[in-house]
Amino acid sequence: QVQLVDSGGGLVQAGGSLRLSCAASGGTFSGYAMGWFRQAPGKEREFVAANGWRGATTYYVDSVKGRFTISRDNIKNTVYLQMNSLKPEDTAVYYCARRGTRYADYAVRSEEYAYWGQGTQVTVSS
């Protein structure tokens, strides 16, 4: 059974940084595209960033481009989201997700991900 465990969230002032981690277990990690999504109170879950199964391809929502970086470590079975220059509007619960089909490309729709972490809260104060 595939499990994803999100961690690294917290309270930070605007302009600060956080690094989120998502540790995968119970299945093969390499060969699967990974993504990060977030959900703010009263809003729908939205795509943030994705990493292709090779690790070289990345894609970001416009609002985080230049501030967030997604990366993966296939030895540690972990994907990361480095978040810099945080803004109050980045406040949300952040979720990592893994695609269900090996060697499938990254995706921006949540429906295309089969496994999800439990989420980690990120709060950015102004």
Side-chain angles (χ1 to χ4, degrees), residues 66-111:
R67 301 189 297 122
F68 290 12
T69 303
I70 186 172
S71 62
R72 64 192 294 157
D73 185 331
N74 285 341
I75 303 251
K76 294 182 178 179
N77 290 354
T78 301
V79 63
Y80 304 97
L81 185 68
Q82 177 67 45
M83 307 187 295
N84 300 328
S85 303
L86 282 161
K87 304 176 181 180
E89 51 263 43
D90 295 318
T91 295
V93 178
Y94 284 71
Y95 301 88
C96 74
R98 200 203 84 175
R99 294 213 64 188
T101 303
R102 203 172 190 198
Y103 306 128
D105 205 352
Y106 66 80
V108 299
R109 298 194 317 148
S110 60
E111 295 84 354

Side-chain angles (χ1 to χ4, degrees), residues 1-15:
Q1 179 72 13
V2 174
Q3 279 195 311
L4 303 177
V5 179
D6 302 324
S7 63
L11 173 63
V12 63
Q13 288 189 330

Side-chain angles (χ1 to χ4, degrees), residues 28-41:
T28 303
F29 182 75
S30 64
Y32 289 94
M34 302 291 295
W36 284 97
F37 291 75
R38 66 187 179 187
Q39 188 166 18

